[in-house]
Amino acid sequence: MKRIVLLGASGSIGVQTIDVVLSHPDEFEIKALSIGYNVAVLKDILTKVHPEVVCVVKKEDALTLSS
């Protein structure tokens, strides 16, 4: 199993990476991911993958996600 830290998860390459990971759950696992300001996309991503660590730019976004 390959463990992945995905930087820029809401971008086109990040979204494609998530699709590949979801297509091969026995081979890949997303351990951590980061996202800039698109928290709406992040909420959608978090319904599909469950990383141990999530990084966002704004403290307010982190507080919103943690509640």
Side-chain angles (χ1 to χ4, degrees):
M1 166 101 36
K2 296 199 187 317
R3 295 178 186 101
I4 297 172
V5 174
L6 181 58
L7 305 176
S10 66
S12 61
I13 294 172
V15 170
Q16 291 175 31
T17 301
I18 291 168
D19 288 342
V20 170
V21 168
L22 292 174
S23 296
H24 303 281
D26 54 326
E27 295 180 43
F28 303 107
E29 177 184 15
I30 296 177
K31 296 297 275 182
L33 61 80
S34 73
I35 198 163
Y37 297 96
N38 201 341
V39 177
V41 171
L42 176 59
K43 287 180 181 180
D44 181 51
I45 290 169
L46 293 176
T47 64
K48 300 173 186 173
V49 298
H50 307 286
E52 293 178 14
V53 177
V54 175
C55 179
V56 293
V57 173
K58 294 176 17 181
K59 180 179 180 179
E60 297 82 24
D61 292 338
L63 294 173
T64 300
L65 290 168
S66 66
S67 59

